[in-house]
Amino acid sequence: MKTFILGDWLYKGLGGAALVAAAAFSALVFFCTESPLLRVGTLVFLLLILGIQFSLVLFLRRRILLFTEEINAVIDSIVNGEAPPAAQVETETLGGKLQYKLKRLHAVISSGRGRIEEEKQALQEMVSDISHQVKTPVANLKIYNSTLLQHRLPKEKQQEFLELMETQIDKLDFLMQSMVKMSRLETGVIALSPKPAALYDTIGLALTGIVLPAEQKGITVEVSCPQALAAPHDRKWTAEALFNLLDNAVKYTPAGGRITVTAEAWETVTKITVADTGRGIPEGHIAQIFKRFYREPEVHGTEGVGLGLFLSREIISKQGGYIQVKSQPGKGSTFSVFLPNA
Ligand code: ADP
């Protein structure tokens, strides 16, 4: 704006000086000459200068008006959340520069609005997913409970119903815990803080949750990880992500199978692999398995809610890493976690 005001003063100063000089010159000629023709000439000259000055002022006012209208239109569209009117942006002029900057501002505001809209949409989807997921165990619990209350069942039947109820309560509990983790991660309440640490301990922490179920199923677990191997990661959350992969490996591998965990450092990333000899995943399902609440139709008989892989991917990507899957139906799956080395 400073340039504009300066330019404005320059215009006024120069214009005024020219007018004064022209008036002084005309007066000098007018009073010093005897010739009536010259006197009329000076008067015409003075009127001409005045006319030029006047048109210049009108021209400037018009330009300022146009400039203000253009900027006004851009600001109006920004306020109303619309795209700014397409105007020829000459970046060399002040108006052009201002319009260009306002357009940039509009783009920044619009992308912010878009992000908020996307987050709102994701939250709505999550709420509807959650209510859908919670419905089944709650409905089952109601049925089991009212059956127990209304019918005099023999002791063994009662026990059977109570066990069924426990399964549903476990499912609800697991759902709720996953939901809390998910929302804490998504809302940024929990910021992952990757620090250089030994992966051996993190893998060990993840394994503690599956050692028993693997043993009960007769699944062999092999681990190969150099003790000194370190990479920046958030221990607690990375262990949670690895646990989800290991838990799936146990769930979807038949008795007598094998799970192999390996960790190795590459040039820019550290790779942790969880491979199993389980049922495998068909090519067509690979893109879906990381989606919230997705479960393959074939595994509905196995316990699960479809949040494990979603959470694992969130945890790893929040640390700048990614997860890759390779699988052969009937032969097994390999989930590889890549964590950046710096
Ligand atoms: P959940 O295991 O609770 O169903 P996940 O999000 O952990 O949910 O996994 C999503 C789906 O991906 C599973 O339902 C299953 O169909 C498939 N899946 C995941 N891991 C494996 C695996 N190791 N072997 C075979 N299928 C798997």
Side-chain angles (χ1 to χ4, degrees):
M1 227 42 188
K2 221 173 186 170
T3 341
F4 184 75
I5 293 165
L6 240 162
D8 198 24
W9 276 106
L10 206 69
Y11 275 130
K12 281 182 183 167
L14 281 178
L19 194 65
V20 170
F25 174 73
S26 306
L28 197 74
V29 175
F30 191 87
F31 291 112
C32 293
T33 185
E34 294 285 302
S35 158
L37 201 68
L38 211 56
R39 281 190 167 172
V40 172
T42 40
L43 277 177
V44 170
F45 170 71
L46 195 61
L47 282 174
L48 204 73
I49 293 289
L50 270 173
I52 291 172
Q53 279 282 336
F54 187 66
S55 330
L56 213 69
V57 169
L58 276 185
F59 172 73
L60 276 176
R61 290 195 114 222
R62 176 138 185 77
R63 284 208 59 176
I64 291 169
L65 206 73
L66 275 175
F67 170 80
T68 329
E69 272 171 6
E70 273 173 15
I71 299 300
N72 219 15
V74 177
I75 292 175
D76 273 351
S77 57
I78 290 175
V79 171
N80 297 331
E82 298 157 3
Q88 207 191 344
V89 176
E90 301 162 40
T91 42
E92 284 318 303
T93 66
L94 181 74
K97 277 181 188 164
L98 206 60
Q99 276 209 40
Y100 175 72
K101 287 210 169 148
L102 282 171
K103 280 189 179 186
R104 292 265 322 262
L105 179 72
H106 174 263
V108 171
I109 294 174
S110 307
S111 85
R113 273 196 192 127
R115 222 178 29 248
I116 292 170
E117 238 358 271
E118 274 170 25
E119 279 169 13
K120 223 168 105 181
Q121 178 87 15
L123 199 72
Q124 268 170 3
E125 274 171 25
M126 198 166 106
V127 171
S128 88
D129 279 350
I130 291 170
S131 42
H132 184 73
Q133 294 296 321
V134 168
K135 251 184 212 159
T136 322
V138 169
N140 287 345
L141 275 174
K142 277 187 179 166
I143 295 169
Y144 299 147
N145 197 43
S146 66
T147 316
L148 276 175
L149 286 173
Q150 286 162 15
H151 304 276
R152 283 187 163 272
L153 297 172
K155 258 230 167 315
E156 314 84 70
K157 260 287 176 231
Q158 280 184 19
Q159 184 64 26
E160 203 181 298
F161 268 79
L162 287 172
E163 276 164 18
L164 281 172
M165 284 172 85
E166 194 172 9
T167 324
Q168 299 304 307
I169 292 169
D170 283 348
K171 189 166 184 177
L172 268 182
D173 183 40
F174 180 78
L175 246 176
M176 288 305 157
Q177 279 183 32
S178 305
M179 237 55 104
V180 171
K181 281 178 208 157
M182 214 160 71
S183 69
R184 282 160 89 196
L185 269 178
E186 282 191 0
T187 51
V189 174
I190 295 240
L192 298 184
S193 44
K195 290 187 193 87
L199 282 163
Y200 188 82
D201 299 333
T202 310
I203 294 174
L205 191 62
L207 281 166
T208 50
I210 61 119
V211 170
L212 204 65
E215 204 180 291
Q216 280 168 351
K217 239 177 136 177
I219 294 173
T220 317
V221 182
E222 274 177 10
V223 184
S224 156
C225 171
Q227 246 171 312
L229 183 65
H233 67 283
D234 184 301
R235 171 160 298 162
K236 190 175 145 258
W237 284 95
T238 310
E240 165 98 28
L242 293 175
F243 165 76
N244 291 342
L245 301 183
L246 288 163
D247 189 42
N248 281 346
V250 175
K251 279 199 300 191
Y252 304 116
T253 299
R258 179 180 298 272
I259 297 172
T260 319
V261 184
T262 48
E264 53 184 328
W266 286 9
E267 203 176 321
T268 54
V269 287
T270 296
K271 182 185 178 193
I272 307 154
T273 308
V274 177
D276 63 54
T277 55
R279 57 181 300 278
I281 307 160
E283 176 87 44
H285 292 170
I286 299 264
Q288 317 264 49
I289 57 173
F290 287 95
K291 287 187 181 158
R292 206 166 32 208
F293 297 117
Y294 177 81
R295 303 202 73 210
E296 286 180 279
E298 299 81 11
V299 304
H300 281 176
T302 316
E303 210 177 274
V305 291
L307 283 176
L309 288 182
F310 174 83
L311 267 171
S312 294
R313 196 179 58 177
E314 281 282 291
I315 293 167
I316 300 304
S317 64
K318 280 209 183 323
Q319 298 180 82
Y322 56 96
I323 304 181
Q324 254 180 16
V325 192
K326 282 196 184 125
S327 190
Q328 259 190 299
K331 294 230 163 116
S333 313
T334 304
F335 286 79
S336 304
V337 172
F338 294 87
L339 287 167
N341 288 340

